[in-house]
Amino acid sequence: MSEQRPHVGLIGLAVMGENLALNIARNGFPLVVYNRTTVRTEEYLAGSAAGTGITGVATLPDLVATLEPPRQIILMVKAGVPVDAVLTELAPLLDPGDIVVDGGNSYFRDSERREAELAAQNLMFVGMGVSGGELGALWGPSLMPGGPREAYDILEPMLTAIAATTDYGPCVTYIGPGGSGHYVKMIHNGIEYGDMQLIAETYDVMRRALAMPATEIADVFAAWNTRALESYLIEVTSEVLRFIDTETGQPIVDVILDAAEQKGTGRWTIESALELASPVPTIDAAVTARNLSALRGLRVQASEVLMGPKSPGGVSDAQAMLGGDADAALASLESALYFSKVSSYAQGMSLLAAASTTYTWDLNLSEIARIWTGGCIIRAAFLADIMRAYSENPELTNLLLDVNVARKSDETVGGARRAIATARSWGIPVPGTSSALDYFDTLRQIALPANLIQAQRDFFGAHTYLRTDREGIHHTLWHGDEQPSEPVPLQIVTDA
Ligand code: NBP
């Protein structure tokens, strides 16, 4: 009889867990669920899980006893302390070879630690990013599992069955060892922050410089969603802008407070970028913009004191600055958004490459782009270009250097320049779009003004500098009489 017992268990029946469990059961994998608060399990079994074959238990020992080894237990509990709390109770109950999958938004360093702790108990720990929200969890998420390859091979049939599927296959792949799965999910979320900020800025230029009502902007986004910008977030934006608030009769977006919240993954992405010296300025701008938006009291105060442009002009002036008539203006904004998105993804992919090298994860960037083509929040037609670019050249140093991507950037960068110039003239903040263009413009410079910064550092701190015309480490006697610079023994000073 024991072979009749299910292998799969799921812990945590909040919005993600309950939907993922339904997905697993619907795809023919019998499973047993457990939630810390038992009444939630009972409600679930009597409610949405009724008739699905899902069974439930009231304790962790019961869960372990009900499952057939090697057990495959998925945690969908709140990230942080709850994951450790569950593991502390669960691990001693398990047998060698059992697998624990953490499907929450855990910090990748926590996943590295947990993998090591469980490995010491002959258990396999898989840190798996799950993207797509509750609908994705139910109908097919994008899955980013990292940890022991052996564990992935056991989990693969189930993960492949429950993941979203696109023309490019199931949206799951083995990411790599350790915390790489949660790292990739973190970068996915960072890119998502960037996408949302860029879209919001484009909307802001349309509503403020072009005086377009929300419903008209919705039509524009719907049209864009049929072209190069086709993506889930553009589609969502169009639907949100079209939605009318039943209480006021106004577009609901016009009555929603302009203070955005955030959870940890955006901040973690920036922290990692700083640590690995692999800049993600557009994600940085997006997180900063959310933080500034949350300072609403300060902004209200500042709006009464700090002055904007006196009279930037009317709609026709903005259209002219954006390239001509209404159609030309919108074409510029479409180009600007596409260009900025490409720049932002180039930043995110570069950070993944840097992490792969630093942590020796051997990430397959083409595969990562592929599993983001469906199920997840950043799914977009453009991901196929990224997939192709890294598949043709896995050693590509930056996405913007791919010939096809470079050509598209070249075709659209003019729109970004016009959009930013217009926004600046109208006093509309566009930090994400600006950072995307600055990243591009910085990358393509042979001569940045960092020569002056090096000179300044050497002036006040004798930090030395390199020269363009000869080898060696140099220092100038800035304060003495006009002495020529002399090579000095290598002495690296790192405190400035
Ligand atoms: P929550 O993040 O809101 O977590 C609630 C679940 O955690 C409940 O089942 C709760 O049990 C359980 N839990 C807590 Br809180 N503390 C616990 C403890 N000490 N021991 C055992 N269980 C505990 O749920 P969610 O929104 O479904 O998200 C689950 C994970 O998926 C999170 O890491 C989240 O970041 C991630 N995620 C969420 C989304 C999304 O769209 N919501 C998308 C992608 C990823 P209780 O019922 O007894 O309180």
Side-chain angles (χ1 to χ4, degrees):
M1 289 295 286
S2 65
E3 66 275 12
Q4 301 287 323
R5 292 189 300 170
H7 287 282
V8 184
L10 186 141
I11 299 174
L13 292 173
V15 62
M16 291 299 284
E18 64 175 1
N19 284 298
L20 200 64
L22 292 174
N23 184 349
I24 294 168
R26 190 183 65 244
N27 280 288
F29 295 84
L31 86 163
V32 186
V33 297
Y34 161 83
N35 193 69
R36 176 182 61 173
T37 308
T38 308
V39 66
R40 176 72 204 115
T41 311
E42 291 164 356
E43 283 169 5
Y44 179 62
L45 294 175
S48 54
T52 61
I54 295 173
T55 56
V57 289
T59 68
L60 285 178
D62 284 347
L63 179 71
V64 173
T66 313
L67 298 176
E68 178 77 18
R71 300 175 182 88
Q72 305 165 28
I73 301 180
I74 304 171
L75 270 55
M76 291 305 293
V77 302
K78 203 176 186 64
V81 173
V83 176
D84 285 318
V86 173
L87 290 177
T88 303
E89 210 184 323
L90 179 66
L93 305 171
L94 297 174
D95 293 314
D98 284 348
I99 300 167
V100 180
V101 181
D102 173 15
N105 274 341
S106 292
Y107 185 44
F108 79 99
R109 291 195 193 286
D110 286 340
S111 302
E112 302 252 312
R113 170 179 56 79
R114 288 167 185 149
E115 194 203 348
E117 287 170 0
L118 265 65
Q121 300 168 60
N122 292 318
L123 301 172
M124 290 189 278
F125 178 83
V126 173
M128 182 172 77
V130 178
S131 178
E134 59 181 299
L135 285 179
L138 179 59
W139 296 113
S142 174
L143 299 172
M144 294 151 251
R149 175 82 215 199
E150 188 188 344
Y152 177 77
D153 290 340
I154 294 170
L155 295 166
E156 189 176 22
M158 175 178 62
L159 298 184
T160 303
I162 66 171
T165 301
T166 70
D167 291 347
Y168 309 107
C171 293
V172 61
T173 191
Y174 174 64
I175 297 289
S180 60
H182 277 136
Y183 190 92
V184 169
K185 174 62 174 18
M186 176 184 86
I187 301 301
H188 164 285
N189 284 24
I191 290 173
E192 175 185 320
Y193 272 67
D195 269 355
M196 292 170 75
Q197 177 64 25
L198 295 171
I199 291 170
E201 290 174 10
T202 311
Y203 149 77
D204 212 15
V205 173
M206 278 193 254
R207 72 170 171 170
R208 292 171 63 187
L210 300 178
M212 292 169 63
T215 45
E216 255 181 55
I217 303 175
D219 292 341
V220 171
F221 278 110
W224 289 359
N225 198 39
T226 64
R227 300 195 280 264
L229 279 167
E230 182 189 346
S231 62
Y232 176 66
L233 279 170
I234 295 284
E235 180 191 331
V236 164
T237 304
S238 173
E239 288 189 25
V240 164
L241 288 166
R242 210 183 294 288
F243 200 92
I244 301 297
D245 176 39
T246 47
E247 286 175 40
T248 61
Q250 294 181 56
I252 197 162
V253 73
D254 291 343
V255 293
I256 293 178
L257 190 73
D258 60 336
E261 293 183 355
Q262 60 154 324
K263 291 187 180 168
T265 44
R267 177 168 55 82
W268 293 341
T269 303
I270 296 162
E271 287 171 357
S272 176
L274 290 173
E275 196 178 329
L276 300 179
S278 180
V280 288
T282 306
I283 299 172
D284 194 355
V287 176
T288 301
R290 285 201 197 185
N291 287 339
L292 278 170
S293 81
L295 301 177
R296 193 154 198 284
L298 173 64
R299 288 191 291 114
V300 170
Q301 218 184 338
S303 71
E304 291 161 8
V305 180
L306 306 179
M307 294 301 120
K310 290 285 179 260
S311 49
V315 169
S316 55
D317 298 298
Q319 287 173 349
M321 200 160 178
L322 279 165
D325 59 7
D327 287 345
L330 291 177
S332 285
L333 293 180
E334 185 178 9
S335 290
L337 184 51
Y338 181 84
F339 168 84
S340 308
K341 185 182 168 86
V342 173
S343 171
S344 179
Y345 279 61
Q347 299 162 32
M349 298 309 284
S350 290
L351 181 51
L352 281 179
S356 181
T357 303
T358 303
Y359 304 126
T360 55
W361 282 338
D362 197 22
L363 298 180
N364 183 329
L365 299 190
S366 178
E367 268 293 277
I368 290 169
R370 185 188 69 72
I371 65 167
W372 288 346
T373 58
C376 66
I377 304 296
I378 66 167
R379 59 187 185 262
F382 167 59
L383 280 157
D385 288 353
I386 304 182
M387 211 180 97
R388 181 202 45 75
Y390 283 105
S391 136
E392 285 173 10
N393 180 7
E395 305 305 322
L396 188 65
T397 47
N398 188 292
L399 180 63
L400 288 168
L401 299 188
D402 171 74
V403 175
N404 185 39
V405 174
R407 182 181 53 77
K408 288 187 179 173
S409 302
D410 191 39
E411 287 166 6
T412 51
V413 66
R417 295 193 195 285
R418 287 190 288 280
I420 293 164
T422 309
R424 291 264 175 268
S425 298
W426 264 253
I428 301 167
V430 283
T433 312
S434 302
S435 71
L437 179 58
D438 282 339
Y439 181 79
F440 174 91
D441 274 339
T442 302
L443 280 191
R444 59 179 197 82
Q445 300 301 321
I446 289 178
L448 286 170
N451 52 340
L452 178 57
I453 291 168
Q454 283 302 85
Q456 291 165 332
R457 294 179 72 236
D458 191 57
F459 183 97
F460 62 68
H463 292 301
T464 74
Y465 54 85
L466 305 178
R467 293 182 62 111
T468 56
D469 56 355
R470 73 188 90 130
E471 295 292 313
I473 310 272
H474 298 267
H475 169 57
T476 293
L477 300 174
W478 301 93
H479 310 290
D481 46 11
E482 293 182 358
Q483 303 231 30
S485 65
E486 294 286 347
V488 294
L490 178 60
Q491 185 185 9
I492 303 298
V493 182
T494 56
D495 62 349

